[in-house]
């Protein structure tokens, strides 16, 4: 719940207008799970029972940074 609260904060949402957050809250006793689907089709699945909010935010941030670096490298190769 804390992770969702941080991700849905208006300042965080303002940093990426293309980011869409959808919550599927279940009350069936299943393990908390965060499933992130990136625009390129890659997924990041984090099991909330084993991670703290900070660990989840760090994992998401590192994956986003890695994708950003990868895109920058691709654009540098394309430009002469």
């Amino acid at each position: 719940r804390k992770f969702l609260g941080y991700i849905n904060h208006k300042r965080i949402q303002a940093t990426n207008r293309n980011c869409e957050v959808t919550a599927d809250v279940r009350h069936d006793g299943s393990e908390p799970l965060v499933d992130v689907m990136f625009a390129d089709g890659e997924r990041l699945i984090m099991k909330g029972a084993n991670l703290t909010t900070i660990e989840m935010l760090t994992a998401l941030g590192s994956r986003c940074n890695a994708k950003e670096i990868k895109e920058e490298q691709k654009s540098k190769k394309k430009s002469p």
Side-chain angles (χ1 to χ4, degrees):
R1 290 182 184 188
K2 286 182 182 180
F3 177 80
L4 188 58
Y6 283 118
I7 293 299
N8 276 327
H9 194 276
K10 62 183 176 184
R11 278 197 253 164
I12 299 299
Q13 289 289 318
T15 63
N16 189 347
R17 298 276 182 208
N18 296 326
C19 178
E20 180 181 326
V21 177
T22 305
D24 179 12
V25 180
R26 299 181 184 182
H27 300 284
D28 60 2
S30 60
E31 178 181 6
L33 186 71
V34 175
D35 185 356
V36 180
M37 176 67 76
F38 292 97
D40 63 0
E42 187 179 342
R43 290 174 78 175
L44 171 62
I45 299 174
M46 297 180 280
K47 296 182 179 182
N50 301 327
L51 300 170
T52 65
T53 304
I54 298 300
E55 289 171 332
M56 294 169 79
L57 290 167
T58 302
L60 179 60
S62 348
R63 184 70 62 95
C64 291
N65 289 339
K67 288 185 171 298
E68 206 171 284
I69 290 169
K70 190 174 179 182
E71 284 299 315
E72 286 175 5
Q73 290 174 347
K74 280 184 183 179
S75 64
K76 283 181 182 178
K77 287 181 182 178
K78 288 181 181 179
S79 62

